[in-house]
Amino acid sequence: MIRFFRNIRNNLLQQQRISRYVFYAIGEIILVVIGILIAIQLDTWRTERNNRNVERNYLLNMLEELKSDSLSHIGGWVMRYPGKMEGLKIAKDFYYGEYKISDTISFMNAIGKGGIGSVGSTRLANSTYLDLVSTGNFALIRDKSLRQQISYYYTYLDFILDYLNRLRSEYPKRLNSFRPFDPGDPGSFDKRDVTLFYESIQKPDMIELINQELTYGYSANLRYNDSYEICMKLSDSIRSYLKRTE
């Protein structure tokens, strides 16, 4: 093809048809420019299509992680919160001499539940968000409002986890130091520890730990429920956006 056009130019020059040559040269330039523009447009289209696929995959992965967060909230907190607060109430009643123990193991396990949420660390499924931020791909999410929702959710989670970590008390450590807890055998205990265990709950500083843990429980319940609602709203927004952009 290139040789064909070159031959036309040479023939025009040899025949000294300058005006036709100029006209042809301009036409050839136009064709080249059009070809370049088409190539650029095709490249832009491919890039845009790839970006949309990447955006969609990110959001689908984020939906799975939000689902994981919501299940963790329900299983890890909502279902166990009543037991936590009931355990702390029993511990407080015992401290003030208003609770009569009928079964040692039941009592130990009940007040042990008061430490739920205060041991270990809470891990969130946020790898997709971290990848979006670290790679600079966050900008691939075209909807500004959705980007703001995503940022708010994960920023809020970081805040509440830091906030709640600072509210945690030494309540579970106090109990475990006098009665080691075996999750594989929750009914086990050393009878020699029972007297010291009871005495430890009635020490003056124990009421401080109980009240600190109650404060943690109330605050955690409020914050976790807030984060759950935000999580659900964000999930709905992502699903709606994916449906609009199919």
Side-chain angles (χ1 to χ4, degrees):
M1 183 64 70
I2 295 175
R3 180 177 298 177
F4 172 75
F5 286 115
R6 185 181 297 148
N7 289 335
I8 293 176
R9 287 200 309 270
N10 291 335
N11 289 333
L12 289 173
L13 286 174
Q14 289 172 4
Q15 296 173 16
Q16 296 184 349
R17 297 180 180 180
I18 303 301
S19 59
R20 288 190 178 183
Y21 175 81
V22 171
F23 179 78
Y24 172 81
I26 293 174
E28 188 174 354
I29 292 172
I30 292 173
L31 286 175
V32 171
V33 171
I34 291 174
I36 292 173
L37 291 176
I38 291 174
I40 292 174
Q41 186 62 36
L42 286 173
D43 185 64
T44 301
W45 177 79
R46 283 193 295 266
T47 301
E48 182 66 16
R49 184 179 62 175
N50 180 65
N51 287 343
R52 297 294 65 81
N53 288 336
V54 172
E55 175 196 42
R56 187 172 187 82
N57 288 334
Y58 269 124
L59 293 176
L60 288 173
N61 289 338
M62 186 172 288
L63 269 180
E64 288 299 313
E65 292 182 353
L66 290 172
K67 180 180 179 180
S68 175
D69 283 348
S70 65
L71 292 175
S72 295
H73 170 74
I74 294 172
W77 183 257
V78 174
M79 302 297 292
R80 301 197 298 166
Y81 175 69
K84 175 182 179 68
M85 303 311 283
E86 178 64 18
L88 292 171
K89 179 182 181 301
I90 291 173
K92 193 168 188 175
D93 288 346
F94 181 78
Y95 177 86
Y96 286 116
E98 299 174 358
Y99 183 86
K100 184 177 180 180
I101 299 174
S102 58
D103 180 78
T104 299
I105 275 297
S106 295
F107 173 73
M108 287 181 167
N109 288 341
I111 65 173
K113 290 180 180 179
I116 288 173
S118 282
V119 178
S121 59
T122 302
R123 295 189 178 276
L124 300 171
N126 60 352
S127 59
T128 298
Y129 175 70
L130 294 177
D131 187 71
L132 276 169
V133 174
S134 64
T135 59
N137 286 333
F138 200 31
L140 293 179
I141 299 176
R142 292 165 290 174
D143 191 295
K144 181 179 179 182
S145 176
L146 183 57
R147 289 201 306 270
Q148 290 173 339
Q149 275 188 273
I150 293 171
S151 293
Y152 178 75
Y153 173 68
Y154 288 101
T155 300
Y156 183 68
L157 284 184
D158 285 341
F159 161 73
I160 66 172
L161 291 179
D162 178 65
Y163 171 74
L164 293 176
N165 281 336
R166 287 185 279 110
L167 276 183
R168 287 179 172 181
S169 75
E170 297 294 312
Y171 176 89
K173 290 184 179 180
R174 166 65 69 85
L175 297 185
N176 291 339
S177 65
F178 289 96
R179 186 254 172 149
F181 178 72
D182 180 3
D185 185 11
S188 66
F189 69 97
D190 190 329
K191 292 182 179 179
R192 294 172 298 177
D193 293 334
V194 175
T195 300
L196 289 175
F197 184 79
Y198 290 163
E199 290 175 352
S200 72
I201 304 172
Q202 293 180 314
K203 288 184 178 180
D205 65 331
M206 188 61 186
I207 191 61
E208 297 178 8
L209 297 180
I210 293 172
N211 285 334
Q212 288 171 13
E213 196 62 26
L214 281 167
T215 299
Y216 168 79
Y218 295 137
S219 298
N221 193 52
L222 175 64
R223 300 295 183 179
Y224 283 142
N225 286 337
D226 283 347
S227 69
Y228 178 75
E229 290 183 10
I230 297 171
C231 176
M232 292 296 96
K233 289 179 180 178
L234 176 56
S235 296
D236 289 341
S237 295
I238 292 176
R239 279 191 287 267
S240 176
Y241 176 75
L242 289 173
K243 187 175 181 179
R244 292 198 317 267
T245 56
E246 283 181 340

